[in-house]
């Protein structure tokens, strides 16, 4: 483990929109920051704020015991860090990896780090560059707790919300993709599909939104999600008795699909939901809770 207590030197690989925001907030908080970017002009923009610019990744890594990496994707990251010379220079250092990637890529990066004697934290940024260095900014980290604790002063500088989500190295990426790549666009698409049905039938969209705001989210939706977590964990989906079992949802979802078809809009969203619900019923969950559909979703597509 690198001892980073009192160490104010940090290197940043990648000074695009996000990397520059990270470097900027570290500089503003008294860190000695060395940076590299493929396009030199982006590094030059931070020179007046005190950035020490290096011409190569190797020289940048050599300047600090803590290295932050934030480039466009994982193949780019491995191309920059996993070569023999940089791998050798990283030995004994700490890598705070902030490039967005899949859980499998995070595990692959952790395997490289372990073989290279690099203490590695995998971070998932839940913020726009403008939120870096503010209370709204949030980054999830997975990896060894000792590594997280050792670099905590740096992490606290980057965002107001700093969350260690566990030592399973893929957890930060999984939570990030589950939220930003699944729930947010999925819920938005559900809203848009509903809006398409309303619009085709002349129903008022402001009323649709008001219904969601006042009753669906605080009532039906949140209570369903809260009840689902222990059911998924126990894989037990028995009807709780205060809503509607799967059997009771089927006719409504069939009618919703029919409404989409009648309105001449794309029915695939409704077909997807109905198909999984009907499969859960066929699997014997007709008198169970909606959460039983999890058993369909966790299987590979047929
Ligand atoms: P960006 O502004 O497009 O910057 C991308 C960075 O990757 C630049 O430094 C770019 O260098 C570098 N890069 C791309 N291909 C390269 C290559 N072949 N070799 C060397 N460097 C290469 O993107 P960003 O917004 O900073 O995003 C960086 C990471 O943060 C991404 O993984 C993104 O998902 C994540 N993130 C971003 C946001 C956001 O709101 N921006 C939010 C959460 C997470 P050049 O400048 O030379 O092109």
């Amino acid at each position: 483990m690198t001892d980073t207590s009192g160490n104010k030197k940090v290197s940043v690989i990648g000074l695009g929109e996000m990397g520059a925001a990270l470097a900027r907030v570290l500089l503003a908080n008294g860190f000695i920051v060395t940076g590299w970017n493929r396009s030199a002009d982006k590094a030059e923009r931070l020179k007046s704020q005190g950035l020490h610019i290096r011409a190569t990744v190797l020289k940048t890594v050599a300047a600090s015991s803590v290295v932050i990496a934030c480039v466009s994707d994982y193949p780019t990251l491995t191309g920059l860090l996993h070569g023999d010379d940089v791998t050798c220079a990283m030995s004994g250092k700490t890598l705070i990896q902030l490039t967005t990637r899949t859980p499998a890529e995070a595990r692959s990066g952790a395997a490289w780090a372990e073989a290279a004697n690099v203490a590695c934290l995998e971070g998932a940024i839940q913020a726009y560059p403008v939120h870096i260095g503010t209370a709204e900014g949030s980054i999830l980290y997975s990896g060894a707790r000792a590594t997280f604790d050792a670099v905590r002063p740096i992490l606290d500088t980057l965002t107001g919300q700093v969350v260690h989500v566990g030592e399973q190295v893929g957890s930060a990426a999984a939570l990030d993709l589950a939220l930003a790549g699944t729930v947010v666009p999925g819920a938005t698409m559900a809203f848009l599909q509903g809006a398409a049905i309303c619009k085709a039938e002349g129903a008022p969209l402001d009323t649709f939104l008001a219904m969601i705001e006042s009753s669906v989210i605080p009532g039906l939706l949140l209570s369903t999600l809260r009840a689902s977590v222990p059911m998924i964990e126990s894989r037990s989906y028995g009807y709780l008795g205060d809503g509607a079992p799967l059997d009771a949802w089927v006719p409504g979802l069939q009618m919703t699909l029919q409404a989409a078809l009648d309105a001449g809009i794309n029915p695939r969203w409704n077909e997807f939901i109905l198909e999984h619900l009907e499969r859960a019923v066929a699997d014997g969950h007709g008198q169970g809770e909606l959460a039983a559909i999890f058993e369909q979703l966790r299987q590979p597509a047929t």
Side-chain angles (χ1 to χ4, degrees), residues 167-241:
E167 300 214 340
Q168 290 281 346
V169 78
S171 289
L175 286 162
D176 181 39
L177 300 182
L179 190 67
T182 307
V183 171
V184 174
T188 304
M189 277 195 67
F191 171 80
L192 296 175
Q193 180 74 0
I197 293 174
C198 290
K199 199 77 182 143
E201 302 296 344
L205 289 188
D206 50 357
T207 304
F208 178 47
L209 178 61
M211 285 159 52
I212 293 169
E213 286 176 332
S214 65
S215 61
V216 174
I217 288 178
L220 183 63
L221 186 58
L222 279 184
S223 64
T224 301
L225 303 190
R226 286 182 183 127
S228 295
V229 171
M231 291 186 159
I232 290 168
E233 296 292 4
S234 64
R235 301 189 67 179
S236 166
Y237 306 100
Y239 181 48
L240 296 175

Side-chain angles (χ1 to χ4, degrees), residues 15-18 37-39 42 70-72 76 100 127-129:
L15 298 164
E17 290 299 315
M18 187 54 83
N37 195 65
R38 176 181 63 174
S39 311
K42 292 183 187 165
C70 187
V71 290
S72 49
T76 299
T100 302
Y128 292 121

Side-chain angles (χ1 to χ4, degrees), residues 22-292:
L22 300 169
R24 206 174 288 120
V25 76
L26 288 168
L27 287 165
N29 283 275
F31 286 86
I32 299 160
V33 185
T34 302
W36 174 89
N37 195 65
R38 176 181 63 174
S39 311
D41 58 315
K42 292 183 187 165
E44 289 295 334
R45 283 189 301 203
L46 294 167
K47 199 171 181 178
S48 62
Q49 294 167 53
L51 182 75
H52 298 273
I53 300 171
R54 293 290 179 272
T56 64
V57 172
L58 185 60
K59 288 179 180 168
T60 309
V61 161
S64 317
S65 60
V66 177
V67 177
I68 294 175
C70 187
V71 290
S72 49
D73 53 34
Y74 187 71
T76 299
L77 180 83
T78 58
L80 296 173
L81 288 190
H82 291 196
D84 287 347
D85 50 354
V86 177
T87 296
C88 192
M90 283 294 297
S91 180
K93 298 179 189 287
T94 298
L95 173 64
I96 303 173
Q97 201 304 99
L98 296 179
T99 304
T100 302
R101 68 277 171 255
T102 66
E105 288 171 337
R107 285 192 293 277
S108 158
W112 164 84
E114 188 176 357
N117 186 34
V118 175
C120 180
L121 269 187
E122 281 287 333
I125 302 173
Q126 312 270 288
Y128 292 121
V130 70
H131 297 129
I132 298 303
T134 72
E136 299 96 89
S138 170
I139 304 182
L140 310 178
Y141 296 96
S142 47
R145 180 79 206 196
T147 306
F148 175 81
D149 290 339
V151 295
R152 190 66 199 253
I154 295 171
L155 309 185
D156 285 340
T157 303
L158 297 181
T159 49
Q161 297 169 57
V162 176
V163 189
H164 185 248
V165 295
E167 300 214 340
Q168 290 281 346
V169 78
S171 289
L175 286 162
D176 181 39
L177 300 182
L179 190 67
T182 307
V183 171
V184 174
T188 304
M189 277 195 67
F191 171 80
L192 296 175
Q193 180 74 0
I197 293 174
C198 290
K199 199 77 182 143
E201 302 296 344
L205 289 188
D206 50 357
T207 304
F208 178 47
L209 178 61
M211 285 159 52
I212 293 169
E213 286 176 332
S214 65
S215 61
V216 174
I217 288 178
L220 183 63
L221 186 58
L222 279 184
S223 64
T224 301
L225 303 190
R226 286 182 183 127
S228 295
V229 171
M231 291 186 159
I232 290 168
E233 296 292 4
S234 64
R235 301 189 67 179
S236 166
Y237 306 100
Y239 181 48
L240 296 175
D242 55 0
L246 278 186
D247 278 339
W249 283 84
V250 174
L253 294 190
Q254 287 169 336
M255 276 183 268
T256 310
L257 174 59
Q258 189 57 51
L261 291 166
D262 292 346
I265 65 174
N266 188 330
R268 280 170 59 193
W269 178 264
N270 305 90
E271 285 168 350
F272 176 83
I273 294 171
L274 182 59
E275 175 195 328
H276 287 81
L277 188 133
E278 285 179 335
R279 280 201 207 160
V281 170
D283 273 2
H285 294 292
Q287 283 304 301
E289 289 282 344
L290 273 175

